[in-house]
Amino acid sequence: MNLKKINRALISVSDKSELIKILKILKKFKVEILSSGGTYKKINSLGYKSVEVSDFTNSPEILDGRVKTLHPKLYGGILFKRNNKKHQKQIKKIDIKKIDLVIVNFYPFEETVKTGSDKKIIENIDIGGPTLVRAAAKNYEDVTVITDKGQYIALLNEMNKYKGSTSFNFRKILSRDAFLETGYYDTKITDYLNKANNNSPPPKK
């Protein structure tokens, strides 16, 4: 079953509705929460505690928020193999703390294309979100990744069932869903750029 306890979660979401569902279960099992920007403010406004990513990494958000979560302390915490002694020594040496759960949904690119200007559309190409998701999905042996608020109840049930942990099969299914999400997102960006440049369909789908 390969249960993995969730001790620390990273939450960075564009759609902040229904966050309360997941915050309750994280508090129940004493999970430390890291969050960024508007997500940090939303979590605090709901009466829950979280650590701002910039405080966790000792690196401020820059470039009008274009760079918030791209930092080795986050990706090291997500990607290191828990049963790899070499990885364990490296993260201990450079003081990286493990991240067991990543909850991310992306900037609303597809919706912005319908009504926004080119400038606004470009700013809604999410960089950090898909990168976090891909990192967590790659390391599904140790990390749980949530990419849609529709998965909150499933995570809640899983954590209640296994007392704050998740099972290997659950994590693997979520990894599949995560790569589907990033693939779909990038396809929509490709479609937009293709139409904007009046190009023929790209050779890959």
Side-chain angles (χ1 to χ4, degrees):
M1 191 170 288
N2 193 10
L3 296 178
K4 294 290 181 178
K5 181 78 167 64
I6 295 175
N7 294 302
R8 183 175 292 107
L10 172 59
I11 306 177
S12 182
V13 291
S14 178
D15 183 351
K16 299 169 182 62
S17 64
E18 301 186 37
L19 259 181
I20 192 72
K21 291 180 180 178
I22 208 67
L23 294 175
K24 289 180 179 180
I25 194 72
L26 296 180
K27 183 178 181 180
K28 176 181 177 179
F29 290 106
K30 299 179 181 179
V31 177
E32 180 185 12
I33 298 174
L34 313 177
S35 59
S36 63
T39 305
Y40 171 79
K41 294 176 182 176
K42 180 65 175 181
I43 290 172
N44 286 0
S45 74
L46 291 170
Y48 292 83
K49 293 181 179 180
S50 67
V51 177
E52 197 160 13
V53 163
S54 57
D55 291 332
F56 183 77
T57 61
N58 293 316
S59 180
E61 292 184 14
I62 60 172
L63 307 179
D64 298 318
R66 279 189 164 198
V67 180
K68 295 191 287 285
T69 58
L70 298 168
H71 197 282
K73 282 195 172 182
L74 299 180
Y75 289 93
I78 294 168
L79 281 165
F80 91 92
K81 296 179 181 179
R82 274 48 166 179
N83 61 355
N84 184 306
K85 291 184 178 180
K86 183 178 179 181
H87 285 198
Q88 291 171 1
K89 289 179 180 178
Q90 287 180 347
I91 66 159
K92 185 175 182 181
K93 184 177 181 180
I94 55 181
D95 192 29
I96 285 179
K97 298 176 181 178
K98 69 176 183 176
I99 296 171
D100 313 295
L101 169 64
V102 172
I103 301 176
V104 171
N105 56 57
F106 306 150
Y107 294 164
F109 178 83
E110 193 172 3
E111 290 77 10
T112 307
V113 167
K114 297 174 183 177
T115 58
S117 63
D118 284 345
K119 183 177 180 181
K120 187 174 182 181
I121 290 168
I122 294 302
E123 290 307 316
N124 273 277
I125 295 177
D126 201 328
I127 303 301
T131 309
L132 286 170
V133 165
R134 287 176 64 85
K138 176 175 180 173
N139 204 24
Y140 66 83
E141 187 169 333
D142 297 305
V143 180
T144 305
V145 59
I146 297 292
T147 52
D148 188 281
K149 63 184 182 181
Q151 298 168 330
Y152 289 173
I153 295 299
L155 177 62
L156 186 156
N157 292 337
E158 183 83 356
M159 291 181 69
N160 273 327
K161 182 178 180 179
Y162 296 115
K163 300 180 180 179
S165 298
T166 61
S167 63
F168 177 80
N169 286 341
F170 182 73
R171 295 190 301 275
K172 192 171 185 179
I173 290 170
L174 290 175
S175 172
R176 177 207 62 190
D177 292 347
F179 281 115
L180 178 62
E181 190 70 21
T182 58
Y184 178 82
Y185 192 78
D186 283 341
T187 297
K188 290 303 170 183
I189 296 171
T190 302
D191 288 346
Y192 164 73
L193 293 172
N194 190 58
K195 290 177 182 178
N197 293 306
N198 294 314
N199 291 335
S200 59
K204 294 183 179 180
K205 291 186 179 180

